[in-house]
Amino acid sequence: MSTETAEETRTAVTVIGLGRMGSALATAFLGRGHATTVWNRTAARAEPLGGRGAVVAATAEAAVTASPLVVVCLSNSAAVHEVLAPVAGALKGRVLVNLTSSTPEEARRTAAWAAESGIDYLDGAIMAIPPMIGQPEALVFYAGAADVYDTHQGALRALGDAATYLGTDTGLPSLYDVALLGILWSTVTGYLHALALVGTEGVTAEAFLPYATAWVSQVALPVLPGMAQEVDRGAYATEVSTLDVNKDAIAHLVSAATAQGVSPEVMLPIQALIDRRVARGHGSDSLASLVEEMRKPSA
């Protein structure tokens, strides 16, 4: 891909949708010196950005025609089509970057609509909270035509230097999005369950924190590369931590939580996966083999 140039970084940009995230996107573009036009269905939300130098468009069509690069960040996929379908003609020949949260299938449908309308299209997924936008560590996934991304990656890096192109399949950014969110939610809820447990004996969250962070960094994270290899190979034999061992361990955890008066509900689905895998004769397999139960839940 081509090296970013000064001309690329000054591409005029339009941002449609000015919720917390959309406003952060527009602010980041302004901060990198882009001529930025904004539009929102609730016009009052555009006023603060107008005070920072953005051009506030009166209509969606005026916003679209103002820039060669149009970034949309709305509440859902239906809102994207509601706003953009009437201005599809104005979008023709421009680049549309859709950073609205969606499912992979919704993203692919939007990409198909854009192609039929003569609109160059990139789909994206933002893996950051609004205050992170514009920071080096802000990760945004993109997919679509490689030449379109190549042309505009310099401008898009205004949103985060960790911008990552995943290829031509426009469903991949949203798939990576939900996959990573699953890691976040399961990790956070596991941590909260731990805090509930130790809290029954008066241990504060602050006192427990060093042991939780050490456990994650020294025990949990180091096993991920090996698990990735096991899953890709489909080979799960182990002598280290078998499902038979983990079956007894999680039963102990559920029992202890119940005895302490703490709900074990976040652990019960994991216990069910382990129990089902063992019942199917895979007690000597590793924890990584649970992926097979998730892939074929009714097999």
Side-chain angles (χ1 to χ4, degrees), residues 63-260:
V64 165
T65 56
S67 311
L69 181 63
V70 178
V71 176
V72 59
C73 184
L74 293 170
S75 56
N76 52 51
S77 184
V80 170
H81 287 273
E82 181 182 337
V83 169
L84 297 185
V87 297
L91 276 167
K92 187 174 182 179
R94 302 177 193 278
V95 174
L96 173 63
V97 181
N98 183 13
L99 298 182
T100 302
S101 295
S102 66
T103 67
E105 185 55 34
E106 286 172 337
R108 293 179 183 122
R109 283 201 299 267
T110 303
W113 166 81
E116 291 168 1
S117 303
I119 304 164
D120 288 332
Y121 181 81
L122 295 174
D123 199 87
I126 302 169
M127 308 310 300
I129 58 176
M132 291 175 61
I133 297 300
Q135 302 302 312
E137 66 273 16
L139 170 62
V140 184
F141 291 119
Y142 297 96
D147 60 332
V148 175
Y149 179 75
D150 187 32
T151 298
H152 293 285
Q153 64 168 314
L156 294 173
R157 286 188 184 279
L159 307 180
D161 289 331
T164 301
Y165 176 68
L166 297 178
T168 58
D169 183 352
T170 51
L172 282 183
S174 58
L175 189 64
Y176 274 50
D177 178 21
V178 293
L180 290 172
L181 285 174
I183 295 175
L184 171 65
W185 289 327
S186 58
T187 302
V188 168
T189 52
Y191 174 55
L192 293 175
H193 185 261
L195 295 184
L197 272 175
V198 299
T200 62
E201 301 295 342
V203 179
T204 66
E206 186 176 359
F208 186 70
L209 178 61
Y211 305 102
T213 54
W215 181 261
V216 170
S217 63
Q218 298 172 20
V219 179
L221 289 179
V223 307
L224 298 188
M227 278 189 160
Q229 293 174 3
E230 290 179 84
V231 169
D232 284 345
R233 291 197 309 263
Y236 306 107
T238 184
E239 297 179 358
V240 178
S241 181
T242 66
L243 286 177
D244 281 331
V245 170
N246 282 279
K247 181 177 186 296
D248 292 338
I250 199 165
H252 173 67
L253 169 58
V254 169
S255 177
T258 302
Q260 293 295 119

